[in-house]
Amino acid sequence: MEEAIVAEGLVKVFYTKERKSLFRSVKRRVEALRGVSFSVRRGEIFGLLGPNGAGKTTTIKILSTLLLPDAGEAWVNGFHVVKEASRVRECIGVSLYSDRGFYWKLTGRENLRYFAYLYQMPRREAEKRINEVLKLVGLENDADRLVEEYSTGMKSKLNFARALLHDPPILFLDEPTIGLDPASARRVRELILEMKRQGKTVLLTTHNMFEAELLCDRVAIINRGRIVAINTPSELKRRVGRNNVVEVEALNIPPSAAEALSSVRGLRRIYTRIRDPASSMGELRLIFEDGVDDLGDVLSAISRAGMKVLSVKIVEPTLEDVFIELTGEKLGES
Amino acid sequence: MERVRRLARAALGVYVKEMKIWLRYPTWIFAFIALPYMLSGLFNGIGYSIAGPRAVENFARNTGVSNPFLFYTLGTALLLATEVLLQDVAYSIRSEQLLGTFELHYLAPAPTWLIWILYLFPHSTIMVVVLLATTLPVLAFSGVLSSPIDFLYACSVLALGMLPLLGIALALAALVVRYKEPGAVVSLVQSVVILLSGYFYPLTVFPAWVSALSQVLPTTHVISILRSLLLAGEGVSPLDRRLLTLLALAVAYPVIGLYSYRRWESEARRRGELSKY
Ligand SMILES: Nc1ncnc2c1ncn2[C@@H]1O[C@H](COP(=O)(O)OP(=O)(O)O)[C@@H](O)[C@H]1O
Ligand SMILES: [Mg+2]
């Protein structure tokens, strides 16, 4: 079978309560997934990119058999995630959160050993594999300390090691670098690329567009439970077009900046990011319809709106521009 | 066969892990060693204060047993075993939920309800060792342990009586999967079982309808058989009514417990409850 993962029309609705006070609550229906379909080829790194609440974790949980879909179907390694759940479990390694999910009073090695036994690995094979993965993630020197003494970075490495224990051909990584310091995040990204070199298929989620661009062969952009585009990062960016994006650094950006400029001709979208709230300093990101011929008009409109321009650059589009282009919404700070 | 061998590996993993964790939080052991004697002392004290000097005489007349200390030590040993068995699965699941490891068990191929039941073995090992260490000397000293066959028979009755409790434990575990915090319900069930099993008094002290109700509890029959065997020195036929009832409960309760656990488990997978705590 060519495809490692296939999802067809996955739908998931949660019913929750909004707590208004101790005794009063209002029922609420959350449509986490509204028909998510995609497929992941063997040996590729596939990214689900989307803002918080888009449905990334929900998708990963359905694919890893932890959650039952309301509608739709999915196959992992050729096995059906509902009907052949235990076969699916044998061929996936999953990392859901890196700061929880350990036994504090056991060492890193003992934690791994426990999960190896849960995976029913024979003892000798388990010990050998534990040493291998500890070495791979760079924890061999801290393996025999209690996990309660581990730093966040060490825990995330241990979490990665656990996902690799039974040497699964397919990996699901939910926000693998979230909350990590830059060095640990870089290490985790290197590990993900190493997994690809070993021939594994990786499905990861992230809300960090740079990470998606850096790691992924293909990216699915997901928003509000729907996939809005799937392609390679460079193809996705081609949609916005080269030479169409201008970044203007300015002072005194009002909250209404985008509206003030919305009537200018030739401008398709505009969004702002405030860097320093005290002086309202930040960037305006301008996406033009077709080339930047109308830049002069836009700059005078910016001045008229009371902003002071510090610098103007034509830049490469990013995946965030693509996201905004496709959804009209911001991806959020990453 | 291969399947059994693979499950045995999972069992070993649970066993080693739990033993290590217990030994790294070592204080509970004092409670276990002291409790049977302390409770026995407590009940004797209460008894004397209520019944005065005629207490022992009354006791012998009501129970048919002449040694109250022995009676209470056996009762307390059973009480401890009951408590641990009823709460262990529920509390183990609860602590895994809080650690964030609960959901991870669902990523492994072994059936999870079995894993949770396996938690009983490490905990029971410690409990059995401690209980035997505390009660055996008393039993031996009092001369009631006449034949090793009787003792083995008593042990198997005990084991059989624990099976239905396992069913109740699984039903409680189902509640934890659903409602999370198990404390209140578990204590309630424990209190009912302990009150109605007659660990510390003959059930004849209650109105008839209470004793009738107590017949659905496995522990009522266990303690009654153990007293016949160990304290009164009577034989118990394998066709004894109490033994047959116990056998029926040992089949029915685990089936009900397993059913309710698996039902809530799939409900939890549908609602996305596995990761909640
Ligand atoms: N177990 C749950 N119960 C209720 N609502 C949930 C549950 N899990 C997720 N949701 C809701 O579903 C939506 C999608 O969540 P999620 O998949 O976690 O998003 P992401 O991982 O992309 O940030 C959110 O609105 C979230 O609040
Ligand atoms: Mg998420």
Side-chain angles (χ1 to χ4, degrees):
Chain A
M1 196 177 156
E2 177 67 23
E3 253 81 38
I5 303 166
V6 177
E8 278 177 9
L10 293 177
V11 172
K12 187 72 212 173
V13 177
F14 292 111
Y15 292 91
T16 61
K17 285 181 182 162
E18 265 179 46
R19 323 270 163 167
K20 299 292 185 192
S21 68
L22 193 52
F23 298 109
R24 220 161 58 81
S25 61
V26 179
K27 262 222 172 115
R28 184 168 152 192
R29 188 167 183 266
V30 180
E31 293 182 44
L33 299 183
R34 319 176 192 215
V36 164
S37 306
F38 61 90
S39 62
V40 180
R41 296 177 200 133
R42 270 184 208 286
E44 77 175 339
I45 302 182
F46 188 91
L48 280 174
L49 173 71
N52 284 330
K56 306 184 292 295
T57 302
T58 306
T59 308
I60 284 220
K61 286 202 170 167
I62 290 177
L63 293 176
S64 54
T65 77
L66 297 177
L67 189 65
L68 297 170
D70 296 337
E73 298 194 85
W75 292 264
V76 173
N77 214 14
F79 300 114
H80 194 275
V81 296
V82 178
K83 294 176 203 148
E84 297 169 294
S86 67
R87 303 299 301 272
V88 171
R89 289 170 188 183
E90 283 167 18
C91 47
I92 58 174
V94 184
S95 142
L96 289 171
Y97 23 67
S98 43
D99 52 337
R100 300 180 68 236
F102 301 106
Y103 299 98
W104 302 91
K105 283 285 178 202
L106 295 184
T107 65
R109 187 191 302 279
E110 287 167 342
N111 266 282
L112 292 182
R113 195 177 283 143
Y114 175 61
F115 285 99
Y117 279 127
L118 270 192
Y119 277 100
Q120 308 172 342
M121 291 166 73
R123 217 188 73 177
R124 204 158 301 145
E125 189 188 319
E127 294 303 321
K128 187 163 152 268
R129 183 67 187 157
I130 288 169
N131 283 328
E132 269 171 31
V133 293
L134 282 170
K135 196 154 175 206
L136 182 74
V137 301
L139 268 184
E140 63 269 52
N141 292 328
D142 297 303
D144 297 314
R145 290 169 63 193
L146 294 185
V147 167
E148 63 188 2
E149 300 170 5
Y150 276 26
S151 69
T152 315
M154 287 157 77
K155 276 187 225 158
S156 97
K157 286 178 192 167
L158 186 60
N159 191 42
F160 208 96
R162 174 173 54 206
L164 296 175
L165 259 185
H166 55 302
D167 203 10
I170 297 173
L171 289 175
F172 293 141
L173 310 173
D174 193 14
E175 310 254 10
T177 58
I178 198 166
L180 294 186
D181 62 278
S184 303
R186 195 171 325 122
R187 180 82 191 110
V188 167
R189 287 186 193 124
E190 279 164 16
L191 278 171
I192 294 173
L193 291 171
E194 170 64 26
M195 292 304 106
K196 179 181 153 82
R197 276 193 290 280
Q198 290 186 8
K200 296 191 191 301
T201 308
V202 180
L203 172 67
L204 62 85
T205 74
T206 178
H207 65 277
N208 181 327
M209 52 179 173
F210 296 113
E211 182 163 289
E213 220 171 318
L214 207 64
L215 294 176
C216 298
D217 298 309
R218 288 191 308 141
V219 171
I221 295 184
I222 181 169
N223 189 38
R224 297 173 188 264
R226 280 207 184 88
I227 290 195
V228 289
I230 303 181
N231 219 324
T232 60
S234 55
E235 274 302 316
L236 285 171
K237 288 187 294 187
R238 209 201 297 263
R239 284 182 175 231
V240 178
R242 293 181 70 111
N243 299 325
N244 277 349
V245 184
V246 174
E247 194 176 275
V248 177
E249 204 182 8
L251 281 175
N252 224 3
I253 303 177
S256 60
E259 282 111 79
L261 302 174
S262 59
S263 58
V264 180
R265 215 163 27 89
L267 204 53
R268 193 155 59 190
R269 288 202 189 280
I270 174 162
Y271 63 99
T272 57
R273 181 178 288 143
I274 303 295
R275 292 232 180 272
D276 173 28
S279 62
S280 299
M281 193 276 267
E283 294 136 19
L284 298 164
R285 216 169 161 91
L286 313 170
I287 302 173
F288 286 86
E289 287 289 356
D290 185 18
V292 294
D293 298 343
D294 298 316
L295 183 57
D297 294 349
V298 179
L299 289 177
S300 18
I302 289 176
S303 302
R304 271 200 306 281
M307 292 172 255
K308 180 165 164 41
V309 173
L310 300 177
S311 72
V312 180
K313 296 194 280 247
I314 297 183
V315 293
E316 281 280 313
T318 63
L319 285 180
E320 171 143 40
D321 298 322
V322 180
F323 184 83
I324 288 172
E325 175 70 21
L326 290 167
T327 64
E329 295 171 35
K330 268 201 237 186
L331 193 52
E333 304 300 322
S334 49
Chain B
M1 208 46 228
E2 173 59 18
R3 208 176 133 73
V4 173
R5 193 160 43 231
R6 285 161 61 95
L7 281 176
R9 279 182 211 133
L12 184 66
V14 172
Y15 198 89
V16 172
K17 178 202 90 178
E18 280 302 297
M19 283 302 229
K20 277 187 179 151
I21 292 178
W22 272 52
L23 294 173
R24 283 170 197 174
Y25 285 112
T27 41
W28 50 266
I29 203 157
F30 301 110
F32 261 11
I33 291 175
L35 223 59
Y37 293 118
M38 287 190 339
L39 281 185
S40 189
L42 175 78
F43 290 124
N44 276 301
I46 294 174
Y48 272 105
S49 68
I50 292 176
R54 303 177 56 85
V56 178
E57 212 177 292
N58 284 345
F59 179 84
R61 201 169 48 243
N62 285 336
T63 61
V65 175
S66 56
N67 183 344
F69 184 68
L70 207 57
F71 186 90
Y72 287 130
T73 305
L74 186 64
T76 315
L78 266 175
L79 170 130
L80 282 182
T82 311
E83 297 245 295
V84 170
L85 215 66
L86 282 176
Q87 73 182 31
D88 213 38
V89 181
Y91 281 131
S92 299
I93 291 182
R94 184 66 192 141
S95 91
E96 303 276 337
Q97 281 174 339
L98 292 173
L99 283 171
T101 45
F102 179 70
E103 191 178 32
L104 298 176
H105 285 77
Y106 285 83
L107 293 172
T112 38
W113 61 268
L114 194 60
I115 301 285
W116 308 133
I117 288 183
L118 289 174
Y119 274 82
L120 285 167
F121 289 90
H123 299 178
S124 309
T125 309
I126 293 171
M127 188 179 68
V128 165
V129 167
V130 173
L131 285 183
L132 284 183
T134 48
T135 54
L136 266 185
V138 180
L139 291 175
F141 186 72
S142 327
V144 283
L145 276 186
S146 45
S147 92
I149 308 271
D150 270 357
F151 181 67
L152 281 182
Y153 192 26
C155 287
S156 0
V157 170
L158 194 61
L160 182 66
M162 297 298 121
L163 275 179
L165 289 185
L166 212 58
I168 302 179
L170 268 177
L172 288 171
L175 288 178
V176 184
V177 173
R178 176 70 187 89
Y179 297 104
K180 314 296 179 287
E181 187 47 59
V185 186
V186 169
S187 323
L188 186 70
V189 172
Q190 283 175 331
S191 310
V192 170
V193 171
I194 287 157
L195 188 75
L196 294 188
S197 302
Y199 285 165
F200 304 108
Y201 35 72
L203 284 169
T204 46
V205 301
F206 287 129
W209 65 269
V210 179
S211 339
L213 198 65
S214 72
Q215 298 301 305
V216 301
L217 295 180
T219 41
T220 310
H221 308 291
V222 172
I223 187 89
S224 163
I225 295 171
L226 289 188
R227 277 186 196 131
S228 300
L229 280 176
L230 296 180
L231 302 186
E234 302 161 1
V236 175
S237 136
L239 289 178
D240 190 286
R241 190 186 50 82
R242 296 168 294 181
L243 211 51
L244 294 180
T245 316
L246 208 51
L247 211 56
L249 294 179
V251 175
Y253 284 10
V255 169
I256 298 171
L258 191 57
Y259 172 80
S260 54
Y261 183 80
R262 297 192 49 167
R263 215 201 92 136
W264 274 118
E265 189 180 71
S266 72
E267 192 62 22
R269 269 176 79 205
R270 195 175 318 280
R271 296 186 192 205
E273 293 271 341
L274 291 183
S275 59
K276 291 190 187 166
Y277 54 100

